[in-house]
Amino acid sequence: MLVRIMSCKEREDNINKMLSSLPPDTECIWDTDHNPCHTLQRVVDSDESILVMEDDIELCKNFYEKAKAEIEQRPDSFIMFYSCKIGEIREAENKKNWIPYSRPYVYTQAYYIPAGIGKKLSKFLETNEKANNRRWSIWINEFLIQEGVERYLVQPSLVQHIGLDSLNKSSNTYIHQSKTYRYE
């Protein structure tokens, strides 16, 4: 399984903190043109399974081991390790953490992509002009529905947004704090 962080230089301190808790072969895929969707396309462009993280999160203690345990239970599912809306968390819990297809988006702070999906997802994002408006979570979800990939939400959240303003000034991450995150 590949482990990749979607990275920008402005968050290098946080990335180094994350790397200290991840396997030594973790890859940082750097934003080279100030277009996060282009970076994301490069992050997911593989036929291997991929554990993907954004660079603005805090990992729980033993994150990698906990994530691997979840992945081993459902290796063919798209797995999210973060959530922030209580209603969605309850809805997922009512369905044993399987996400209903009526849901309009997926969380992309930390997630697992099963083998055989990444390259197709990268191409889908590349050819979908709407995905380039920084709302790729909607289009990833659309792709997963088209491909019939099950989506699963791990609770409690294994990651938390760090408390910084968004680099693209579109939102403040304080409003996107997980309601279930525990460092331990």
Side-chain angles (χ1 to χ4, degrees):
M1 171 176 64
L2 299 173
V3 181
R4 292 182 170 169
I5 301 174
M6 189 172 153
S7 308
C8 64
K9 289 292 182 188
E10 293 86 347
R11 295 208 178 103
E12 197 163 8
D13 288 344
N14 195 61
I15 293 164
N16 289 332
K17 183 178 175 184
M18 292 170 65
L19 287 170
S20 69
S21 302
L22 294 169
D25 59 348
T26 298
E27 299 174 73
C28 291
I29 308 299
W30 295 98
D31 181 347
T32 56
D33 65 354
H34 300 291
N35 185 323
C37 193
H38 291 164
T39 307
L40 177 61
Q41 290 166 23
R42 293 188 349 260
V43 168
V44 302
D45 191 19
S46 176
D47 284 325
E48 291 184 54
S49 59
I50 313 167
L51 177 58
V52 178
M53 291 157 281
E54 292 185 359
D55 60 7
D56 62 347
I57 59 172
E58 172 186 35
L59 307 175
C60 71
K61 187 174 184 180
N62 300 317
F63 166 79
Y64 184 69
E65 291 76 16
K66 291 175 183 178
K68 264 182 54 177
E70 293 287 346
I71 292 164
E72 287 170 2
Q73 291 179 44
R74 50 194 72 74
D76 298 325
S77 298
F78 181 91
I79 305 171
M80 295 168 281
F81 301 102
Y82 167 88
S83 63
C84 72
K85 295 185 179 176
I86 291 293
E88 292 171 350
I89 294 166
R90 286 190 187 118
E91 182 180 14
E93 287 171 347
N94 289 340
K95 294 177 173 39
K96 303 285 191 251
N97 290 354
W98 292 103
I99 304 301
Y101 278 117
S102 60
R103 185 178 192 198
Y105 62 91
V106 292
Y107 289 112
T108 58
Q109 288 69 24
Y111 54 99
Y112 166 79
I113 300 173
I117 300 296
K119 273 198 179 297
K120 291 191 280 187
L121 175 57
S122 180
K123 188 67 169 171
F124 177 84
L125 293 170
E126 179 185 344
T127 58
N128 185 326
E129 289 182 27
K130 293 178 183 177
N132 282 294
N133 72 1
R134 293 183 166 84
R135 295 297 306 227
W136 55 74
S137 61
I138 293 169
W139 300 106
I140 291 174
N141 190 58
E142 181 74 23
F143 170 82
L144 295 170
I145 290 170
Q146 285 178 14
E147 293 291 314
V149 178
E150 293 288 342
R151 292 148 315 134
Y152 185 83
L153 177 62
V154 173
Q155 288 300 308
S157 291
L158 300 184
V159 304
Q160 175 69 290
H161 256 129
I162 57 175
L164 295 175
D165 287 336
S166 172
L167 291 176
N168 65 21
K169 306 295 183 217
S170 65
S171 66
N172 181 312
T173 57
Y174 286 116
I175 64 172
H176 297 292
Q177 295 294 293
S178 172
K179 307 302 186 272
T180 64
Y181 174 76
R182 292 185 296 244
Y183 176 72
E184 295 294 327

